[in-house]
Amino acid sequence: MKRDFLSVLDLNLSEIKALFDLSLKLKKSSGEKVLEGKEIALIFEKPSLRTRVTFEAAISRLGGKPIYLSPQDIQLGKREAVKDVARNLSLWVSGIVARVFSHRDLEELARESSVPVINALSDLEHPCQALADFLSIYEVKGDFDIHLVFVGDGNNVASSLMLLSSILGSRFTLVCPEGYEVPNAIFEKAKELGEDRVRILRDPREGVRGADFIYTDVWTSMGQEAEREVRMRVFRPYQVNEELLSHAPKHAKVMHCLPAHRGEEITDGVLDSDRAIVLMQAENRLYTEMALFYAIYGV
């Protein structure tokens, strides 16, 4: 039976921990060629450095062949119906990795496809990023008994991190302006899973007190360019800078999924400091994605 990965909720606690254990093993050895003889289509409605390179590298290292489809090649629901794309690709490839604007399109793609579909980013979640982030947290801390504070927009990354925090038993605080929270359904599900270990605050200084990890992301994502001027004004007090870090514990590490808009959501001084673990996060994208292929293809 085919298995999709559209949300962190598609994995249970034991599966996530097993995936992390395998990811760490794959950092030390190349692993088996579990994708030997398989082609994997990469649908990218949004461009990316880390997502494209890590998925192509993961597929290649596991013996498969990635087939990249640019925004010009496929325009889901515009140039061609989503279901037609899904049904046709299923005839030629063994899997689909999709980086899309609409989570609904992603769900339809998975529903109509006979091969596994992996969410490489949608407007609702970024589950592969969250897996790499928590593997990085585990490498730094050694366990998941931590307090992760996300400062900024309650975007897709924040949603996946909030859900994964709750599954793993971590504490999670979202610090954001009013009206920029994660979707209410995500928040309620996280509270249900995490026994109320999640919260939303408005004051960044209050939020980072007691933080073990401080996470931020861009204030204006792709597709939100028309909102940029408003967002720049609203989020200015939420910049992760040296002054804000002075209110956090000295051991707190700084995280960012990249790309960063230096001087906006984070300063050069913080991003380039030894408190930032952003390159570890980027590196771990490769190994968690490799482990995910192991899990999906039944090895």
Side-chain angles (χ1 to χ4, degrees):
M1 184 177 74
K2 82 161 181 134
R3 184 170 190 184
D4 302 314
F5 182 61
L6 309 185
S7 165
V8 295
L9 298 174
D10 291 332
L11 297 174
N12 60 38
L13 179 60
S14 62
E15 289 173 326
I16 293 168
K17 289 185 175 181
L19 188 146
F20 287 157
D21 288 341
L22 179 56
S23 299
L24 294 175
K25 291 178 182 177
L26 289 169
K27 291 186 78 167
K28 299 177 181 178
S29 63
S30 57
E32 300 177 30
K33 302 296 185 181
V34 297
L35 296 179
E36 189 74 54
K38 293 180 171 62
E39 290 81 27
I40 307 295
L42 305 179
I43 297 177
F44 274 54
E45 289 191 311
K46 294 183 176 185
S48 172
L49 169 64
R50 278 151 294 277
T51 300
R52 178 177 176 180
V53 172
T54 56
F55 265 112
E56 289 199 4
I59 294 165
S60 297
R61 291 191 185 192
L62 296 177
K65 179 180 179 180
I67 300 175
Y68 177 74
L69 298 167
S70 72
Q72 289 72 37
D73 296 319
I74 293 184
Q75 297 176 3
L76 293 175
K78 296 177 182 178
R79 182 173 179 270
E80 190 168 7
V82 175
K83 62 183 178 181
D84 289 337
V85 172
R87 293 170 183 175
N88 277 266
L89 284 176
S90 295
L91 300 172
W92 310 317
V93 301
S94 300
I96 299 171
V97 174
R99 182 177 171 88
V100 299
F101 283 100
S102 169
H103 195 79
R104 289 184 180 179
D105 285 348
L106 183 75
E107 291 175 329
E108 184 177 358
L109 195 66
R111 187 169 59 248
E112 298 291 341
S113 170
S114 61
V115 298
V117 174
I118 295 174
N119 181 1
L121 177 142
S122 72
D123 58 345
L124 183 63
E125 278 201 57
H126 198 351
C128 292
Q129 180 66 55
L131 290 174
D133 293 336
F134 265 93
L135 179 63
S136 304
I137 287 170
Y138 182 74
E139 285 194 274
V140 171
K141 184 69 165 49
D143 57 44
F144 301 108
D145 182 19
I146 58 98
H147 183 195
L148 173 60
V149 178
F150 190 103
V151 181
D153 187 24
N155 61 12
N156 47 11
V157 176
S159 290
S160 288
L161 289 172
M162 180 181 284
L163 291 171
L164 192 52
S165 292
S166 294
I167 295 172
L168 292 171
S170 304
R171 289 167 290 153
F172 186 92
T173 297
L174 172 62
V175 186
C176 67
E178 187 173 357
Y180 292 91
E181 302 85 1
V182 298
N184 190 60
I186 296 285
F187 183 53
E188 292 301 323
K189 183 64 177 180
K191 287 198 297 182
E192 174 191 332
L193 292 169
E195 300 175 353
D196 290 327
R197 287 190 296 269
V198 298
R199 61 178 182 165
I200 297 176
L201 298 178
R202 304 300 177 201
D203 184 353
R205 293 180 179 179
E206 177 186 357
V208 300
R209 293 190 184 104
D212 297 305
F213 297 87
I214 300 168
Y215 203 119
T216 190
D217 194 5
V218 297
W219 295 335
T220 306
S221 300
M222 283 179 281
Q224 299 174 332
E225 288 80 6
E227 305 173 31
R228 175 173 169 77
E229 186 175 336
V230 172
R231 284 175 170 267
M232 287 292 291
R233 182 174 67 254
V234 169
F235 283 104
R236 180 59 63 188
Y238 293 83
Q239 184 184 71
V240 175
N241 52 35
E242 291 83 347
E243 196 280 329
L244 181 62
L245 289 189
S246 71
H247 299 274
K250 293 187 181 300
H251 71 267
K253 298 296 185 181
V254 175
M255 305 180 72
H256 195 305
C257 57
L258 302 178
H261 293 168
R262 290 170 177 263
E264 291 185 13
E265 76 276 1
I266 192 167
T267 60
D268 281 342
V270 172
L271 189 61
D272 295 329
S273 73
D274 58 6
R275 298 184 72 167
I277 60 170
V278 297
L279 292 180
M280 180 187 293
Q281 295 171 254
E283 180 185 17
N284 282 336
R285 285 290 301 272
L286 173 61
Y287 300 107
T288 50
E289 287 160 9
M290 290 176 69
L292 189 59
F293 282 120
Y294 268 76
I296 289 175
Y297 288 88
V299 179

